[in-house]
Amino acid sequence: MLLETYQAKGLLTVTLVNGQTSTAGVYAYRGDLVLKEGALREGTTTDRKPPEALFIHSALIIENDKIKFINGLLPILDLLPVFVEKYKADIAPDAIALIYVENIGKALKVELEGVTYELLPFKEGLVWNELLEELYIEKSELKNQSAEDKVAIAYESAKSRKSKAPLVSYQEAQDSTFVVVKDAAVGAI
């Protein structure tokens, strides 16, 4: 199974959900997905430093060992090609991808390796809550559902979603990025 393979390779971290939905053969994952592994620690062939880049708060649906639904947060658009390169063999051609990106100001779509990725601006908050709002999913629709089925409900809702975001080249999307300035006054004092 694809998620077991990722787990064995150390590509899943901060896992919140990792299991089969109520539909046989359909699996859901929520957590962080490693984009760039940390360097190996000196004198070891298996122990790595923390990852250098993550696909944060991701939500995936896997069916027939192919990723059918992709959601999460990228701090910068430059990490999208890194994600695509690392996972392209596992992404279904008809995958639905709704990806939040911190350094874009408006919704855009780009096509990479035959898959269309919808890029949504992200300011702050929880990615999962933003997704539910984007898909018009009420909390009551998720009540009494398993954590895995909640991801499946989001996927089903995303299938019928109509996007008005323009399809642009990756370079055009890259040209519209900006530098994100984080407020240093956030957090415990």
Side-chain angles (χ1 to χ4, degrees):
M1 187 180 94
L2 192 58
L3 289 170
E4 289 173 354
T5 303
Y6 289 172
Q7 186 70 46
K9 290 180 177 179
L11 298 176
L12 307 180
T13 181
V14 193
T15 300
L16 302 172
V17 176
N18 185 355
Q20 185 168 277
T21 66
S22 58
T23 304
V26 178
Y27 297 86
Y29 173 78
R30 278 186 60 206
D32 292 352
L33 195 61
V34 174
L35 298 178
K36 293 181 186 175
E37 292 94 342
L40 288 170
R41 295 189 193 277
E42 194 172 320
T44 180
T45 58
T46 56
D47 187 23
R48 291 191 175 276
K49 293 180 181 177
E52 292 178 22
L54 294 170
F55 187 38
I56 304 164
H57 301 223
S58 65
L60 305 174
I61 288 288
I62 288 99
E63 187 175 348
N64 299 320
D65 272 348
K66 289 291 183 186
I67 301 171
K68 301 285 281 184
F69 177 64
I70 305 162
N71 172 249
L73 172 65
L74 294 174
I76 56 171
L77 182 60
D78 290 347
L79 290 173
L80 181 60
V82 175
F83 168 79
V84 172
E85 183 60 32
K86 187 165 200 73
Y87 295 100
K88 68 182 173 188
D90 302 325
I91 300 172
D94 61 343
I96 295 172
L98 299 172
I99 299 177
Y100 291 97
V101 183
E102 284 189 57
N103 70 335
I104 63 169
K106 63 181 180 175
L108 303 167
K109 287 190 272 193
V110 297
E111 186 179 312
L112 296 172
E113 299 289 337
V115 175
T116 300
Y117 295 86
E118 184 165 354
L119 310 174
L120 302 165
F122 184 82
K123 301 260 184 292
E124 61 184 12
L126 297 173
V127 174
W128 180 250
N129 290 345
E130 292 293 317
L131 176 67
L132 296 180
E133 191 173 308
E134 184 70 33
L135 298 175
Y136 301 105
I137 296 174
E138 297 292 330
K139 300 260 185 203
S140 61
E141 294 176 60
L142 302 177
K143 193 171 180 141
N144 300 324
Q145 299 292 327
S146 70
E148 292 81 7
D149 283 338
K150 289 176 183 179
V151 180
I153 288 168
Y155 169 52
E156 288 302 318
S157 181
K159 284 183 191 178
S160 60
R161 180 176 175 274
K162 302 288 185 237
S163 170
K164 294 180 181 167
L167 181 64
V168 299
S169 70
Y170 178 75
Q171 186 56 54
E172 287 175 280
Q174 190 69 2
D175 291 344
S176 70
T177 62
F178 57 86
V179 175
V180 176
V181 179
K182 301 256 183 179
D183 186 356
V186 176
I189 298 176

